[in-house]
Structures are given as C-alpha cells and as structure tokens.
C-alpha cells in the first residue's frame, strides 16, 4: 500500500539523515558505538524485512508500527549517549586547561557563556534522566533528551571554537612555569654552591690555624 511505503521511506529518511550522522558524531568523540543503539537499528531493519516478506496486511501494519517504535528509541538513545559524550569531552577539556586562565578569552565572555550553557544543559539532562526513571516509555522523553542534546551540542561547539586560543594561553603558561622551575633550580644550585663555599672557607680556615 502507498501509505505503508511512505512510512517505510520516512523510517529510511530519519535513519540516513539523522541517526547515521549522530552515530558518526558519537564515534568521533568516543571511538565506538553504544550497543544499545546498534540493537535498536537491528530491530528496525528486522521488522522492515518481516514487513517486506509478508503480504498479510495485519502483519505488515504490525511490523511498521514496531519499526517506528524502535526508530524513536534509537533516536532517543542517540540523543542520550551524545549527551554523555559531550560531558566527557568537556571534562577532558577542563582537565587539559585546568591551569590556564581562560578568562582572557573574549574578555571573559567565553566562561560566562559556557557556565550558562552548562547549567541549562545539566538541568535539561537531569530532567530527562529523572523522567526516564519514572517512565521509560513516556512520550515526552524524546523531546526531553533532544533539548539536552541541543544544549550540550552548543556547549561543545562553543568550546571547540576557542580551543586555538586556549592552546596559545596554555603554551604561554607552560613556558612561564618552565621559566619559574629553571629559576628555582638555579636558585637551589646557587644556594648549594654558597653552602659549599662557606664550608670550604671554614675548612681551610681551620687548616691554616
């Protein structure tokens, strides 16, 4: 039936234009695919295959509905695991630049914007997680996780846009730290020679006496 064909095409469209792109994003961040998403995709195409193999209207309808359900769950998982990936990426960024004063970037605007996005994204993500704990089949979960994903994606994009400047500040900070370390070493060595000199003076003085 034409109506069935349209729904199948819609499933393929979401898979090709949304899910695959998000999976690439997750792979770039984590180096792997979450097994939960792969299982949902396998279920989608299993039901589409069963739909294609049957000429029974009821069987076709049943499998299309199930395929659409797994598609929605795959999207939800993509949003959820992308959020985890963005969080881990931000933690790694902050660890790398923990000794760098990022307030010098954009006159402090970066840190202000970052804090706002982090707060909003965390709030949205916590809301989604709590709602999922209450009812994992709730209709609002999809939009809950999508909202959190969009906020974390903005945060990830913002951080990526200033990485070049953060690297420059880190290089300056590292050079400054190395210079301080060298000065401390020189000071310690100088002090050591001073102590040795005093000791030798005392020793030779005693020897003369």
């Amino acid at each position: 039936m034409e109506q069935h064909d349209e729904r199948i095409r819609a499933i393929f469209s979401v898979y090709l234009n949304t899910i695959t792109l998000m999976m690439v994003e997750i792979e770039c961040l984590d180096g792997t695919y979450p097994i939960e998403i792969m299982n949902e995709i396998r279920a989608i195409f299993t039901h589409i295959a069963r739909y294609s193999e049957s000429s029974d209207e009821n069987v076709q309808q049943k499998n299309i509905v199930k395929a659409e359900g797994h598609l929605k769950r795959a999207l939800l998982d993509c949003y959820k695991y992308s959020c985890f990936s963005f969080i881990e990426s931000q933690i790694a960024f902050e660890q790398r630049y923990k000794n760098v004063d990022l307030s010098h970037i954009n006159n402090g605007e970066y840190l202000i914007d970052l804090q706002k996005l982090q707060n909003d994204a965390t709030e949205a993500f916590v809301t989604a997680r709590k709602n999922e704990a209450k009812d994992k089949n709730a209709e609002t979960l999809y939009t809950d996780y999508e909202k959190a994903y969009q906020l974390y994606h903005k945060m990830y994009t913002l951080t990526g846009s200033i990485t070049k400047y953060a690297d420059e500040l880190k290089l300056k900070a590292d050079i400054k730290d190395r210079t301080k370390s060298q000065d401390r070493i020189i000071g310690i060595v100088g002090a050591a020679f001073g102590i040795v000199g005093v000791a030798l003076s005392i020793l030779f003085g005693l020897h003369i006496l």
Side-chain angles (χ1 to χ4, degrees):
M1 293 178 63
E2 184 176 349
Q3 183 181 5
H4 289 344
D5 291 341
E6 289 178 1
R7 291 169 71 180
I8 293 296
R9 283 196 295 270
I11 291 172
F12 287 152
S13 178
V14 173
Y15 171 74
L16 286 173
N17 299 313
T18 304
I19 291 178
T20 56
L21 298 180
M22 294 186 73
M23 289 182 67
V24 168
E25 190 173 64
I26 293 172
E27 183 186 27
C28 289
L29 288 169
D30 297 347
T32 186
Y33 297 132
I35 189 63
E36 290 84 355
I37 298 175
M38 299 302 294
N39 286 339
E40 294 297 341
I41 291 173
R42 181 176 62 181
I44 291 169
F45 286 96
T46 296
H47 287 296
I48 290 177
R50 289 173 181 170
Y51 158 83
S52 299
E53 289 294 305
S54 177
S55 58
D56 186 301
E57 172 66 19
N58 291 330
V59 173
Q60 290 182 335
Q61 175 67 14
K62 179 180 178 181
N63 279 285
I64 289 177
V65 169
K66 287 188 175 183
E68 290 171 337
H70 286 292
L71 178 72
K72 193 168 186 177
R73 185 67 205 189
L75 268 174
L76 189 150
D77 284 343
C78 281
Y79 287 134
K80 178 166 64 174
Y81 284 100
S82 290
C83 287
F84 283 125
S85 298
F86 290 141
I87 291 170
E88 290 298 322
S89 176
Q90 186 63 30
I91 291 173
F93 176 88
E94 292 175 2
Q95 182 65 28
R96 173 175 171 77
Y97 300 101
K98 64 180 180 180
N99 296 322
V100 179
D101 186 0
L102 300 179
S103 65
H104 292 297
I105 299 175
N106 295 337
N107 297 317
E109 291 297 319
Y110 162 70
L111 290 179
I112 294 174
D113 293 341
L114 176 64
Q115 189 61 59
K116 176 68 166 58
L117 282 172
Q118 279 186 319
N119 290 342
D120 291 346
T122 300
E123 181 180 353
F125 191 57
V126 169
T127 296
R129 296 289 286 169
K130 286 182 177 178
N131 290 340
E132 185 177 18
K134 293 176 183 177
D135 182 3
K136 67 178 181 179
N137 296 314
E139 287 295 323
T140 59
L141 285 182
Y142 177 86
T143 53
D144 287 342
Y145 276 114
E146 182 180 15
K147 179 181 178 181
Y149 165 82
Q150 290 174 346
L151 289 167
Y152 276 122
H153 190 278
K154 287 181 180 179
M155 184 184 74
Y156 176 74
T157 301
L158 174 64
T159 297
S161 70
I162 60 88
T163 299
K164 174 184 176 182
Y165 307 105
D167 282 337
E168 293 174 355
L169 290 172
K170 186 176 187 302
L171 178 60
K172 291 178 181 179
D174 289 345
I175 292 174
K176 187 175 181 180
D177 288 341
R178 284 197 295 270
T179 300
K180 288 182 178 179
S181 296
Q182 290 171 354
D183 288 343
R184 283 197 296 270
I185 292 172
I186 291 173
I188 292 171
V189 171
F193 276 115
I195 293 171
V196 171
V198 171
L200 288 174
S201 296
I202 294 173
L203 180 63
F204 279 112
L206 291 174
H207 180 71
I208 292 173
L209 292 174

